[in-house]
């Protein structure tokens, strides 16, 4: 009887693993038989309850005992895809980033793709998915691609590798690549066809003017012929020459990626819509794409109605509940359904599909984000209807790349919270659009105003006449549009930057890199004359006023992973500072030396900052018995026995008990001033003054991003990057994005001692950015904001 082949579980190594004079690098794939994994798991508890199991390291083909916590599990499909990638560092990067690996698992035979090879982007069709080398353990999964253009590069074949044939194509038109070199081409249309009769099943004929996506660009051209590709129908497509190109190469593309140019033209009067992502016109007015050229209706007046097509932002009225919004990803006809349909990727999980209809993918989106509806049921998204191009752009017949403009909103808009914040702010092309070193300002403005109104007094306070224009720009062109529509274009921020520069407050605001605190000090103090947020008392010195507090502390080798609470208390103690009053907003800069050197590799955020013991004239409870304290001991703060528990104050009885030992007899007492109304009265406990964390600014390699807390739960965090992506080259524009990051809350729920041992590289999502790259913490006391 044949022995049953053992099934393996696969893992990826997250950390370099040194053994004697050899290091097994992070990104190595490890395997273990399923039976061994279950049997050894219960018998392999090491120190601190860590599982230690014997794994087979695939690259080195050796067995090693590893701690399970240094590994992350993989499915068999993921393991095969990753094993094809080298070096191991790139493999780990692809695993941690996630989207490319997820997209690769959705690829299938005959999908149109582009291949990155030797700095070229080559169109092709997937002809094979599988292994091309033999191994007794794990073989990498490669994609065999038939290229649709002739390319004079190395590494091409005719579908053969190592003497074995995996698919058939003409000489030097095949290539085998790992998944990170393959990207699905956009499908303009997909109609189910019957391979048996390609000519009869095809609604197209040679000589038709057609269009298809090649890479990210929509190319027009001529259909030269139709052929049977086996499981799919192929057409010979000759693209129209691009600008500066003498002649385009003939290439083969699947029929389901082709659409007639006539279908791209709106019927009847010209109508207009905007793409959420690019802000460019999608109705064919762009002469450079050569799709449609039509005269404007009524002379120079822009058309009053909207034509909706692929990439249009729309809203759909549902039978129950409010309208839902999304982006059209496909239009066409569905089998058995009358009328033109639209495949829409929704902004929220209220859909029914991932882009499939009756088992066929018409477009791709996350599960429960896709929906098919009649195109006539879609209406332009009302939030973006003021984003129409200027008359000059209409007259020119094309839109400027990146010209999507946000609104000017004059009415008072409250900051969105909880579910409303997710609906308004979350998504791609949301937040504040970055441009020319503006990330410091974008991150600061988004942190202060997107989900908090603690500093709204800046927007409405009486100010000098010559500064009124700047205040109006901040209020009506940035803050109100951000809160209502979730988007502010870079031109509005540039208006603010130009006003600051022209006003003589500081040179270089329009082009140079700056720090958030420099911008905040200028606009709060010099421009708007805002009352200082912090009023500090210092022993033996004149009272101080400032807008943010820079942490300065003495080095302490035992303080490796501090909390914000610890840092603030140590900073106040080291510099003999006290708060004169409870601030409405407390902005705290972390200890740093320049933009790259960090004093701590990780800082644990304090969701609540207890400032009771930092106030100069506030009743304080005894550290031991909680009765009214009368004396403070700075020496106890330095005592290693108490150093991690904050400032120390005692009632008279507990002072003598704590300092009766020889080590405490030399401690010096500092008498506390008892607030009026507490002397000799009945003590009912200390009224604690706590502030809530509402935003964190972070920096990495001179680029600022921010985290904003939009709800009461620990998981209610969103991450903002004003330059998360870019469309086009030097003449293009940045794409801002706001994404939910509930993983931040997961780490905040972990005990600090355990979190201190957590490697930043192992943290999920963007959590590492907040814990390891924090630059500035913003706390608020909404109760005090009312009085400010």
């Amino acid at each position: 009887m044949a022995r049953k082949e053992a099934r393996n579980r696969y893992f990826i190594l997250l950390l370099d693993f040194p053994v004697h004079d050899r290091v097994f690098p992070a990104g190595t794939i490890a395997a273990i038989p399923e039976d061994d994994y279950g049997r050894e798991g219960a018998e392999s508890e090491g120190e601190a309850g860590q599982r230690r199991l014997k794994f087979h390291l695939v690259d080195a083909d050796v067995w090693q005992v590893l701690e399970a916590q240094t590994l992350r599990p993989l499915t068999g499909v993921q393991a095969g895809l990753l094993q094809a990638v080298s070096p191991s560092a790139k493999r780990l990067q692809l695993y941690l980033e996630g989207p490319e690996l997820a997209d690769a698992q959705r690829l299938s035979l005959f999908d149109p793709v582009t291949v990155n090879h030797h700095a070229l982007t080559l169109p092709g069709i997937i002809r094979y998915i599988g292994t091309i080398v033999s191994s007794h353990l794990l073989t990498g999964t490669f994609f065999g691609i038939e290229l649709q253009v002739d390319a004079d590069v190395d590494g091409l074949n005719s579908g053969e590798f190592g003497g074995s044939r995996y698919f058939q194509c003409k000489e030097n038109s095949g290539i085998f690549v790992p998944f990170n070199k393959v990207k699905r081409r956009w499908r303009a249309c997909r109609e189910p066809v019957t391979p048996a009769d390609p000519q009869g099943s095809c609604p197209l004929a040679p000589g038709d003017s057609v269009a298809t996506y090649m890479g990210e660009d929509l190319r027009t051209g001529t259909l030269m012929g139709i052929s049977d590709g086996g499981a799919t129908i192929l057409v010979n497509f000759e693209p129209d020459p691009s600008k500066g190109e003498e002649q385009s190469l003939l290439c083969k593309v699947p029929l389901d990626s082709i659409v007639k140019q006539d279908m791209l033209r709106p019927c009847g009067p010209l109508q207009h819509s905007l793409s959420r992502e690019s802000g460019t016109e999608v109705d064919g007015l762009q002469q450079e794409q050569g799709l449609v050229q039509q005269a404007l209706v009524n002379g120079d007046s822009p058309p009053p109605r909207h034509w909706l097509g692929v990439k249009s932002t729309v809203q759909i009225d549902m039978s129950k509940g409010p309208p839902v919004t999304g982006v059209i990803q496909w239009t066409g006809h569905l089998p058995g359904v009358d009328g033109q349909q639209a495949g829409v990727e929704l902004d929220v999980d209220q859909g029914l599909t991932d882009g499939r209809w009756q088992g066929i993918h018409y477009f791709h989106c996350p599960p429960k984000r896709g929906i098919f509806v009649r195109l006539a049921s879609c209406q332009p998204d009302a939030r973006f209807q003021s984003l129409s191009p200027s008359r000059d752009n209409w007259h020119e017949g094309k839109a400027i790349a990146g010209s999507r403009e946000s609104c000017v909103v004059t009415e008072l808009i409250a900051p969105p919270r909880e579910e409303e914040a997710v609906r308004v702010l979350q998504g791609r092309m949301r937040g504040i659009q970055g441009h020319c070193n503006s990330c410091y300002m974008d991150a600061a403005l988004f942190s202060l105003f997107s989900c908090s109104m603690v500093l709204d007094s800046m927007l409405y306070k009486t100010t000098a006449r010559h500064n009124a224009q700047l205040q109006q720009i901040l209020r009506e062109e940035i803050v109100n549009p951000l809160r209502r529509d979730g988007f502010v274009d870079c031109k509005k921020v540039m208006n603010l930057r130009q006003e600051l520069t022209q006003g003589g407050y500081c040179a270089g605001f329009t082009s140079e890199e700056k720090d958030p605190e420099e911008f905040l000090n200028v606009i709060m103090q010099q421009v708007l004359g805002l009352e200082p947020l912090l009023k500090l008392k210092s022993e033996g010195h004149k009272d101080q006023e400032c807008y943010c507090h820079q942490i300065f502390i003495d080095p302490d080798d035992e303080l490796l992973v501090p909390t914000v609470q610890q840092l603030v208390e140590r900073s106040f103690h080291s510099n003999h500072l006290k708060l004169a009053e409870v601030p409405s907003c407390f902005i705290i800069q972390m200890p740093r030396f320049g933009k790259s050197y960090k004093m701590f590799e990780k800082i644990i955020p304090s969701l609540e900052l207890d400032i009771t013991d930092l106030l100069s004239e506030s009743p304080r409870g005894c550290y031991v018995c909680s009765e009214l304290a009368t004396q403070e001991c700075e020496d106890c703060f330095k005592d290693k026995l108490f150093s991690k528990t904050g400032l120390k104050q005692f009632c008279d009885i507990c002072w003598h008990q704590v300092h009766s030992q020889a080590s405490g007899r030399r401690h010096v007492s500092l008498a506390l001033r008892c607030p009026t109304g507490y002397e000799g009265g009945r003590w009912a406990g200390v009224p604690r003054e706590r502030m809530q964390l509402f935003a964190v600014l972070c920096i990495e390699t001179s680029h600022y991003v921010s985290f904003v807390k939009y709800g009461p739960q620990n998981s209610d965090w969103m991450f903002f990057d004003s330059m998360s992506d870019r469309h086009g080259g030097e003449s293009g524009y940045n794409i801002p994005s706001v994404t939910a990051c509930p993983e931040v809350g997961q780490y905040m729920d972990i005990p600090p001692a355990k979190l201190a041992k957590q490697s930043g590289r192992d943290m999920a999502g963007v959590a590492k950015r907040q814990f390891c790259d924090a630059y500035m913490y913003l706390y608020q006391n909404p109760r005090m904001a009312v009085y400010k």
Side-chain angles (χ1 to χ4, degrees):
M1 183 177 179
R3 185 187 176 200
K4 184 179 179 181
E5 183 179 355
R7 295 183 59 185
N8 290 318
R9 287 199 180 197
Y10 297 101
F11 298 80
I12 186 168
L13 187 62
L14 299 179
L15 303 172
D16 290 345
F17 182 68
V19 178
H20 303 301
D21 58 346
R22 184 176 183 181
V23 176
F24 299 101
T28 296
I29 305 295
I32 183 173
E34 281 197 350
D35 293 343
D36 293 350
Y37 184 80
R39 181 175 62 253
E40 294 183 12
E43 305 171 357
S44 55
E45 296 290 332
E47 293 184 7
Q50 297 299 334
R51 298 182 68 184
R52 296 176 59 83
L53 303 174
K54 194 172 184 179
F55 291 89
H56 194 166
L57 303 184
V58 177
D59 291 339
D61 196 15
V62 298
W63 290 85
Q64 286 291 337
V65 176
L66 303 173
E67 289 187 1
Q69 69 170 4
T70 64
L71 302 159
R72 289 293 181 272
L74 301 172
T75 65
V77 174
Q78 291 174 330
L81 290 169
L82 289 168
Q83 183 60 28
V85 177
S86 62
S88 57
K90 181 63 176 178
R91 189 184 299 157
L92 180 62
Q93 178 188 349
L94 292 167
Y95 166 75
L96 294 175
E97 291 178 352
E100 283 190 68
L101 183 59
D103 291 344
Q105 295 176 73
R106 290 192 286 264
L107 292 173
S108 56
L109 291 178
F110 311 113
D111 276 348
V113 294
T114 56
V115 179
N116 294 324
H117 186 62
H118 291 323
L120 297 176
T121 300
L122 307 172
I125 300 172
I126 297 177
R127 294 298 189 190
Y128 174 79
I129 303 175
T131 62
I132 56 176
V133 293
S134 60
S135 171
H136 67 283
L137 183 58
L138 176 66
T139 53
T141 300
F142 288 84
F143 289 81
I145 312 296
E146 180 184 359
L147 300 179
Q148 297 171 280
V149 294
D150 294 329
D152 186 16
V153 293
D154 297 332
L156 302 184
N157 51 59
S158 57
E160 295 180 348
F161 186 87
S164 299
R165 176 169 296 280
Y166 295 93
F167 63 93
Q168 187 76 38
C169 69
K170 68 178 183 179
E171 188 175 357
N172 291 329
S173 292
I175 188 172
F176 293 93
V177 291
F179 76 91
N180 60 310
K181 301 293 185 181
V182 180
K183 185 177 182 181
R184 184 194 300 273
R185 288 211 306 265
W186 181 265
R187 297 187 177 203
C189 177
R190 182 180 180 97
E191 290 288 347
V193 294
T194 305
D197 183 10
Q199 195 72 34
S201 302
C202 181
L204 300 169
D208 282 349
S209 296
V210 295
T212 185
Y213 273 88
M214 301 184 72
E216 298 294 330
D217 300 323
L218 183 66
R219 296 291 300 272
T220 58
T222 304
L223 180 70
M224 305 303 294
I226 305 168
S227 60
D228 187 355
T232 189
I233 296 177
L234 302 178
V235 298
N236 295 322
F237 174 71
E238 182 178 337
D240 294 332
S242 301
K243 191 173 182 179
E245 186 179 38
E246 294 184 1
Q247 184 176 5
S248 298
L249 297 173
L250 187 71
C251 58
K252 290 182 180 293
V253 298
L255 172 64
D256 60 8
S257 68
I258 289 288
V259 63
K260 281 188 176 181
Q261 288 190 34
D262 290 342
M263 294 180 64
L264 298 174
R265 306 185 185 192
C267 299
L270 180 64
Q271 301 168 356
H272 183 265
S273 181
L274 290 176
S275 161
R276 172 188 298 172
E277 176 175 302
S278 66
T280 57
E281 299 172 15
V282 296
D283 57 9
L285 285 178
Q286 300 179 17
Q287 294 179 359
E288 293 176 348
Q289 291 185 350
L291 297 182
V292 184
Q293 298 182 22
Q294 292 188 357
L296 293 175
V297 180
N298 302 323
D300 287 338
S301 300
R305 300 178 60 195
H306 297 263
W307 175 77
L308 300 175
V310 172
K311 289 298 182 182
S312 295
T313 58
V314 296
Q315 64 184 37
I316 305 167
D317 291 327
M318 308 296 285
S319 57
K320 296 182 180 179
V324 294
T325 57
V327 179
I328 294 179
Q329 302 289 24
W330 172 88
T331 59
H333 295 272
L334 294 170
V337 181
D338 294 332
Q340 191 172 16
Q341 306 295 312
V344 181
E345 180 178 354
L346 301 178
D347 294 332
V348 294
D349 294 341
Q350 290 185 240
L352 303 172
T353 176
D354 61 352
R356 273 183 279 205
W357 175 272
Q358 296 182 353
I360 297 176
H361 257 126
Y362 290 81
F363 64 97
H364 290 269
C365 69
K368 297 186 178 180
R369 284 289 182 100
I371 189 172
F372 290 93
V373 296
R374 292 178 62 88
L375 185 59
S377 300
C378 299
Q379 299 296 324
D381 191 334
R383 295 174 296 171
F384 305 116
Q385 291 316 297
S386 61
L387 310 185
S388 55
S390 65
R391 179 172 296 189
D392 292 339
N393 286 340
W394 281 88
H395 185 70
E396 292 172 4
K398 62 181 181 179
I400 301 172
S403 64
R404 172 188 168 185
E405 293 189 3
S406 53
C407 309
V408 175
V409 181
T410 57
E411 67 265 30
L412 172 65
I413 305 294
R417 295 288 293 171
E418 300 183 51
E419 294 181 358
E420 180 69 4
V422 174
R423 186 189 69 81
V424 173
L425 295 170
Q426 185 176 327
R428 187 173 165 89
M429 208 64 180
R430 300 292 180 95
I432 302 174
Q433 185 180 34
H435 175 67
C436 192
N437 296 324
S438 69
C439 61
Y440 70 95
M441 188 178 292
D442 306 329
L445 291 172
F446 189 88
S447 298
L448 285 175
F449 296 110
S450 61
C451 295
S452 172
M453 59 189 305
V454 68
L455 288 180
D456 274 18
S457 58
M458 291 172 57
L459 308 176
Y460 301 99
K461 72 179 296 293
T462 303
T463 187
R465 180 176 300 178
H466 63 277
N467 289 327
Q469 173 67 17
L470 194 149
Q471 186 185 43
Q472 184 178 5
I473 292 174
L474 178 63
R475 179 180 64 247
E476 298 178 5
E477 295 186 21
I478 297 177
V479 176
N480 286 343
L482 177 64
R483 291 174 174 177
R484 193 190 74 174
D485 303 328
F487 176 74
V488 178
D489 73 85
C490 60
K491 297 178 184 177
K492 303 300 190 295
V493 180
M494 182 56 75
N495 291 341
L496 181 65
R497 299 167 72 183
Q498 290 172 344
E499 286 287 331
L500 289 170
T501 301
Q502 294 168 4
Y505 298 107
C506 183
F509 265 118
T510 58
S511 58
E512 297 176 3
E513 291 184 5
K514 292 188 180 294
D515 295 321
E517 68 271 19
E518 183 178 358
F519 162 64
L520 294 177
N521 278 319
V522 167
I523 198 166
M524 289 181 183
Q525 181 181 11
Q526 300 182 38
V527 178
L528 300 178
L530 190 70
E531 182 180 351
L533 301 178
L534 299 178
K535 296 183 178 181
L536 304 173
K537 290 183 176 293
S538 179
E539 183 180 353
H541 296 84
K542 185 179 178 180
D543 291 353
Q544 306 172 34
E545 295 182 339
C546 57
Y547 294 88
C548 58
H549 176 68
Q550 170 71 63
I551 296 289
F552 292 102
I553 60 173
D554 298 324
D556 186 347
D557 294 337
E558 294 186 2
L559 190 65
L560 300 178
V561 183
T563 64
V564 176
Q565 180 81 40
Q566 288 177 313
L567 291 176
V568 172
E569 289 182 352
R570 284 171 177 262
S571 181
F572 271 61
H573 176 268
S574 298
N575 297 281
H576 305 287
L577 297 175
K578 291 290 183 183
L579 290 169
E581 61 184 34
V582 178
S584 60
C585 182
F586 196 177
I587 302 176
I588 307 167
Q589 280 182 256
M590 292 298 100
R592 276 180 175 265
F593 296 91
K595 294 183 178 180
S596 59
Y597 177 76
K598 298 181 289 187
M599 181 174 285
F600 301 98
E601 287 301 316
K602 190 186 302 175
I603 296 174
I604 301 175
S606 300
L607 291 177
E608 281 194 337
L609 187 68
D610 191 336
I611 61 170
T612 309
D613 296 335
L614 303 178
L615 294 168
S616 62
E617 296 189 21
S618 171
R620 297 165 66 180
C622 174
Y623 173 71
V624 178
C625 69
S626 299
E627 288 295 319
L628 182 65
T630 58
Q631 303 177 66
E632 182 178 8
C633 182
E634 290 192 351
D635 295 304
C636 281
F637 185 90
K638 303 173 185 176
D639 193 314
K640 293 183 179 180
L641 182 63
F642 301 108
S643 60
K644 295 182 180 180
T645 56
L647 300 168
K648 310 298 180 301
Q649 58 278 334
F650 307 87
C651 65
D652 291 337
I653 296 175
C654 292
W655 169 272
H656 293 293
Q657 291 178 345
V658 170
H659 296 84
S660 61
Q661 302 295 326
S663 59
R665 290 173 185 171
R666 295 183 180 180
H667 289 191
V668 178
S669 169
L670 176 64
L672 296 176
R673 183 182 302 176
C674 190
T676 304
Y678 283 90
E679 303 95 339
R682 186 173 180 180
W683 178 248
V686 176
R688 310 302 297 181
E689 287 290 350
R690 295 184 174 91
M691 306 192 72
Q692 285 79 45
L693 179 64
F694 71 94
V696 182
L697 270 75
C698 302
I699 182 174
E700 185 179 31
T701 59
S702 298
H703 181 63
Y704 290 95
V705 296
S706 69
F707 292 80
V708 170
K709 199 166 189 301
Y710 63 88
Q713 304 300 321
N714 286 0
S715 58
D716 292 343
W717 286 93
M718 55 178 57
F719 173 72
F720 164 65
D721 186 348
S722 65
M723 304 178 184
S724 68
D725 200 356
R726 186 165 181 83
H727 179 87
E730 292 183 359
S731 61
Y733 56 91
N734 292 311
I735 298 175
S737 67
V738 181
T739 55
C741 49
E743 65 271 16
V744 172
Q746 297 174 9
Y747 292 101
M748 290 184 177
D749 291 334
I750 297 176
K754 185 176 180 181
L755 183 59
K757 299 178 181 179
Q758 175 77 47
S759 170
R761 187 170 58 178
D762 296 344
M763 288 184 163
V766 295
K768 179 257 182 187
R769 304 287 297 273
Q770 182 173 137
F771 285 84
C772 301
D773 301 326
Y775 181 86
M776 183 179 284
Y777 289 85
L778 284 71
Y779 287 84
Q780 64 180 352
N781 188 323
R783 176 176 59 85
M784 293 304 300
V786 175
Y787 301 101
K788 297 292 184 179

